[in-house]
Amino acid sequence: MDDQERADAFYAHVMGGGKVEADDWMPDDYRAAVLKFVEMHANSELMGVLPEREWILRAPTLKRKLALTSKVQDEVGHAQLLYRVAEDLGKPREQMLADLMAGKTKFHNVFHYPTRSWGDVGIIAWLVDAAAIVSQQALRDSSYAPYARTMKKICWEESVHIMHGRDVVLTLMNGTSRQREMVQEALDRWWGPLMQMHGPPTDPATDRDLIWKIKAKGNEQLRQEFLSIYVPRIWELGLTVPDAGLGYDEVEGRWHYTEPDWAELRNVVTGHGPMSQERLEFRRTNHAATQWVRDAVLGAPSAAA
Amino acid sequence: MIHSGNVRAPDEELAMHYAREFYGRRQESHRLWVVARDAITELDDPDLLNPPFDRSFKRPGGYLIKHKLEAAKARANAPAGTEGSE
Amino acid sequence: MNDFAHRLPDATREALAELLLAIADDEFVIGFWDSEWTGIAPMLEEDVATSSISQDEIGHARALYELLAELTGQDADEIAFGRRPEAYRHAALMNHPRTDWAFTVARRYLYETADAVRLEALARSSHEPLAQLAAKMRREERYHLMHLDTWLRRLAGSDAARERLAAALRMLWADALAVFSPVPDEELLVRGGELPEPMATLRSRWLEQVSPVLAGLGLPGPTSDDLTVAADDGRTRRTDAFRWLHGEFTMVAASERGATW
């Protein structure tokens, strides 16, 4: 069998619902596509640590302190699991971290924004994690089996984060008028990025990640699922979603909404978001400050790396 | 990866053959790995996996929102100006 | 107030409250400082491990504040977050910021070993709820000790890292001894068995255990100056670093007084 036949057989396998293991033969295109996808996911978990980490020292009760620290810890844990999956595809972790810190690789748009209040902490844990879990649940069916398995563990932990977030939001909504305003202000700030988060609709005929079943659902389908579950839960608390065009169309069976600002999304994920450079600089500073520890316990990195 | 069980065999090669029989003959396994017992590092104190303090905040059931949700919904539906003192 | 607390004479109950507050504040403040490593520790794997240890400390603080609340009729969160910086009673060891990884390992090692000696004694306390809690805490602290011992040895095994560790230890020794500063009216607690041995005895035991380990790794023990620093204000000295931390951990709670969070 020549390479082309081998690749054809491979793609027939994954498109037919077959799974791929780390040490299976795979075409370079597929390997590169999975690596890019998982690496960005890992980067997002690692950068996603930072907006909430700022509030670990500010959590207002012992229980919230434990829950928030534990949530951020889980995200570090997810980054570790995902970098392991990516490493097995052939790119060393140090290289992935270096590319991230150099701005050569991306992370999700929502982690480029500031976290202004305890209300943001609640909205992030509830809705950003909810938007994430909608896509992550679909990834449990990924054709790349090590990724699919990892997503099972991650999804379970994310479901805890959503409960923590919803609990924070409900507590604030049952509180003083200032606390209620805090939630509405946070929702106003985060709604735009949330609507952009799954990305613009793609053409299923040309979206390779979809064709090869690296991901199981398209961007628009994920956004619709998110809206279906969470908009009613937002409305029932008396919160206002800051989009006059938002509504469910019974006839079409889908949500209508004002077109998200795709220019903002492109701008933000290419490193021009309000906190992009500050957060990358924070990573670089801390990575450099702990290099001596890695050198001491792992051995100095080889010159070739 | 889950632990399926163990086999007794004179060497690694036969251990793999037997593992295939014992843990793969009904297609219940996709892959098999065989490791000699003395190559395993074990956490030999089970108490370290049994934390004594409350860790409910790490589980979905640790957040009891039913009554909070009802209260928040009731407040959302209350006519303006009837929220009570603050 | 529970039955155990009722049976205590007022003066003993007050002294016991001071003891509980001191230990709870130790765990609370070191738990806060070290939680700051979450997300930025030297390696992802260690990040998760370090975060768990700091969560354990907050969990212990919570249990201790709850025990204290039974004596005083307050609420655990109110005790933890509702005081002025001057009213905290943690040892001076916890006055320092997180600083770098060597500093964190050095402080944690000193604290974990001291805490182990203290908990061993408290597990024999005549105040049954405290004895039970100390026994429970020891189960978790055992892992902390194992983990910190591993890190201490790793860092001591590399020349550059050992030097950082040694510098941190030299800076911390005097304040570490404050973990065993006497608590107010300690003699009442020793007489009643609530604190089975005086802090001075525990301090000697700790030094006997720790000094040879450090010396064996080429790391410094306390100097004679460190050993003679007055212990009286070991738990009342406060620093700007702690005042900053206090500003952080009371920020949200103070933004809307009396609210539920």
Side-chain angles (χ1 to χ4, degrees), chain B residues 43 45 47-48 50-58, chain C residues 55-56 60 62-63 133 136-137 139-140 142-143 146:
Chain B
L43 180 71
D45 182 352
D47 193 48
L48 292 176
N50 185 25
F53 285 88
D54 172 37
R55 291 202 183 169
S56 60
F57 58 92
K58 290 189 188 284
Chain C
Q55 289 169 47
D56 288 349
H60 298 173
R62 173 161 73 164
L133 177 56
K136 217 167 140 182
M137 285 167 66
R139 287 173 54 196
E140 268 181 4
R142 212 154 33 93
Y143 165 70
M146 284 164 55

Side-chain angles (χ1 to χ4, degrees), chain A residues 16-30:
Chain A
K19 302 294 176 193
V20 182
E21 292 293 342
D23 52 1
D24 286 345
W25 180 86
M26 63 188 95
D28 291 343
D29 287 354
Y30 179 85

Side-chain angles (χ1 to χ4, degrees), chain A residues 145-163:
Chain A
Y147 189 38
R149 284 192 292 271
T150 301
M151 292 321 298
K152 285 189 186 144
K153 177 174 164 61
I154 292 181
C155 283
W156 189 86
E157 294 182 0
E158 293 288 350
S159 71
V160 181
H161 302 170
I162 292 174
M163 288 303 292

